[in-house]
Amino acid sequence: MPTILEGLSNELKFTLESTKPKYFKSSQNYLLMAFENASSKFKGISRVQAHIEYKLVQQFLNGDIDSTHPAFDLLGDMIHYPIEGNSINTIFFFAERLNYLLDIYTEKIQQGEDLQVTWKSLFRAYLIASNQDELPIFNAQLETLRIFLDSTWVEISQRSTQTLFDLKDVNKYIKLIQPNSLEFFSQSWLEGLHQRIIQMGNDLEIPSTSWFWEKLFVNILQMLVNFEDDAFKKSLPKLLSLLDICPLYQDLGIQLILERFSRCQSTLMNHQLMEYISLSWGSSIGTQQKNSPWNNIGEKSQQMIKAWHHERNLRIFFALKTGDKSIPQQKLDFWLNYLDCIEFSRLALGSVGQKIIQSQSSLQKIFHPKTNPYSKLLGDINPEQNALILKTHQCIIIDFIVNDGCYIYDLGSNSFDIQQDTHYSTTYKGGLKERYGKYGVTITQDQDWSDTASLKLLLNKYGL
């Protein structure tokens, strides 16, 4: 039988178990709760109301506020505040007033005053500054602000008894307020350290509209323009990643990249760039709306991107070939030499080819019915048969992937419509082989496609 002591012990255990809290909060949890509670109560308490800001900035711009005014140190948080709704009518763009303000702050800091809050406001103003109005004075004013921040940071960080938490990251990214910072960050980006710069942007909350991203992009692009072709192409992924975090400059960036690429000695398609442009701008083929970014690129770039469209069709067509791909590769290499001559391209796919396109979402996007449709190919005993339809300024080329070789028609000598939804692999009227039912193909199926000299001689008859 249990003793009295054992009974009391069991009762105590039951009592403790029943009264034990369901979860344990450490002192750190309580501190966090207290901090959040205090923060919510004091949120915005140091923010000057908008109508007071307006009045202070207006008085300062009119010369009615000097360094003896009680609110003088608060003006550092208002240098971008616009008067009368005019984004240009600010302390930042008023050179005389900004110089006066920063000179007084410099004197105060040198005399030992703790202006951490004011300095922090000006640092933030430096990061968010944007030249969306494209004013010539912007760069000069930004440099004035940078010089102030750079020249006073040592005193701000050393003479203050307790540095504000928000300012502790400044030393980590001190290069941002030093001379020639853009060259440093641009080079770092191109050297593969772009994640560090992105992290800096996140830590300092640099908005996408900031001068920093714009100047970084322009600086990197200027470097890339002067690169040799191979170096330029290798750096494209890093430049595209910059456009992702600078959406305001994406259209301009793509435009300038295309113009630079069109000047390369080899303008064969860059798959990553082509995919990026397709996702951002859609297809270059078809009718463009008035506000389409495609309307802003030059003729040479337009020709190049259309050649990329045809090149992609060529590559997919020959990639669909199963089995031995040595001949399709030779054909591909040969036709790539004629990209500048191609005005139109379309794939006519048999049942197997259609299933492959329909089963892959990436291919479905490429063969969008409004921009790059494919045709159904009927009448061939081989379900893997596919045809490639090309049009130049003088002829139409029909290349078959399985046997039968290549057929070339002078313009107007064919009765089929190259843009129809269904094509027939037959020698009957309207079929892709209609003219050659009796006379055979232009280029036979046993042609050596590595013999480019004889092939080019043959194509000379068709203006190619």
Side-chain angles (χ1 to χ4, degrees), residues 256-325:
L256 296 176
I257 290 171
L258 285 176
E259 290 179 2
R260 171 62 183 89
F261 206 110
S262 68
R263 297 197 299 272
C264 290
Q265 185 174 0
S266 171
T267 57
L268 287 179
M269 178 177 57
N270 179 287
H271 295 277
Q272 184 179 9
L273 179 57
M274 182 64 170
E275 182 178 357
Y276 189 92
I277 295 172
S278 298
L279 291 173
S280 303
W281 286 6
S283 174
S284 62
I285 307 299
T287 304
Q288 302 296 340
Q289 299 179 352
K290 290 183 179 180
N291 59 349
S292 171
W294 286 114
N295 297 326
N296 298 324
I297 67 174
E299 183 178 351
K300 191 173 183 179
S301 298
Q302 287 274 10
Q303 292 175 346
M304 181 186 73
I305 205 68
K306 288 179 180 179
W308 285 8
H309 169 86
H310 302 313
E311 179 186 348
R312 185 166 60 180
N313 279 351
L314 279 166
R315 292 186 182 279
I316 293 175
F317 173 72
F318 290 112
L320 291 174
K321 175 69 168 68
T322 59
D324 183 12
K325 294 194 176 186

Side-chain angles (χ1 to χ4, degrees), residues 11 17 43 45 52 61 71 76 81 102 114 128 154 159 221 228 239 260-261 273 290 308 331 359-360 391 402:
E11 288 182 12
E17 189 68 27
K43 186 177 182 180
I45 196 169
I52 298 178
L61 291 178
Y81 194 94
L102 298 181
D114 187 354
I128 67 173
V154 174
R159 293 186 180 179
L221 193 65
E228 296 293 333
L239 185 56
R260 171 62 183 89
F261 206 110
L273 179 57
K290 290 183 179 180
W308 285 8
K331 281 188 172 185
S359 65
Q360 298 187 29
K391 177 184 176 296
V402 180

Side-chain angles (χ1 to χ4, degrees), residues 80-141:
H80 292 308
Y81 194 94
I83 300 300
E84 299 175 356
N86 188 343
S87 61
I88 302 174
N89 197 11
T90 63
I91 296 174
F92 180 79
F93 283 114
F94 199 137
E96 180 185 346
R97 293 276 80 192
L98 180 64
N99 287 334
Y100 171 72
L101 185 72
L102 298 181
D103 287 344
I104 297 300
Y105 287 159
T106 301
E107 289 180 11
K108 288 188 173 187
I109 292 171
Q110 290 175 346
Q111 291 169 4
E113 289 193 36
D114 187 354
L115 294 186
Q116 284 189 88
V117 174
T118 302
W119 196 97
K120 174 194 170 185
S121 297
L122 289 167
F123 180 65
R124 183 63 189 162
Y126 176 68
L127 297 180
I128 67 173
S130 174
N131 192 23
Q132 294 186 17
D133 295 310
E134 299 182 355
L135 296 178
I137 195 178
F138 178 84
N139 290 331
Q141 296 301 91

Side-chain angles (χ1 to χ4, degrees), residues 173-187:
Y173 303 118
I174 194 64
K175 197 71 180 179
L176 192 59
I177 58 174
Q178 291 178 349
N180 304 316
S181 62
L182 262 298
E183 286 73 11
F184 170 80
F185 288 117
S186 300
Q187 191 63 42

Side-chain angles (χ1 to χ4, degrees), residues 128-196:
I128 67 173
S130 174
N131 192 23
Q132 294 186 17
D133 295 310
E134 299 182 355
L135 296 178
I137 195 178
F138 178 84
N139 290 331
Q141 296 301 91
L142 188 70
E143 179 64 7
T144 296
L145 184 53
R146 185 202 65 76
I147 291 173
F148 164 79
L149 294 170
D150 188 27
S151 62
T152 55
W153 170 242
V154 174
E155 286 84 354
I156 286 292
S157 60
Q158 292 182 351
R159 293 186 180 179
S160 301
T161 55
Q162 190 172 6
T163 304
L164 288 174
F165 177 79
D166 295 36
L167 291 180
K168 289 182 178 179
D169 270 343
V170 175
N171 264 332
K172 185 178 179 180
Y173 303 118
I174 194 64
K175 197 71 180 179
L176 192 59
I177 58 174
Q178 291 178 349
N180 304 316
S181 62
L182 262 298
E183 286 73 11
F184 170 80
F185 288 117
S186 300
Q187 191 63 42
S188 297
W189 191 285
L190 291 174
E191 290 175 356
L193 303 178
H194 52 287
Q195 288 300 331
R196 293 186 184 180

Side-chain angles (χ1 to χ4, degrees), residues 232-256:
F232 163 72
K233 292 177 181 179
K234 287 180 181 178
S235 299
L236 278 176
K238 299 167 187 174
L239 185 56
L240 295 180
S241 65
L242 179 58
L243 293 184
D244 284 335
I245 61 173
C246 304
L248 291 176
Y249 314 112
Q250 187 180 68
D251 287 350
L252 175 61
I254 293 174
Q255 178 184 343
L256 296 176

Side-chain angles (χ1 to χ4, degrees), residues 348 377 387 389 398 400 407 409 416 423-424 426 430-434:
L377 183 66
I389 304 171
I398 312 293
F400 285 92
Y407 295 71
Y409 297 80
F416 56 82
H423 284 99
Y424 297 89
T426 66
L432 295 180
K433 309 172 188 176
E434 61 177 354

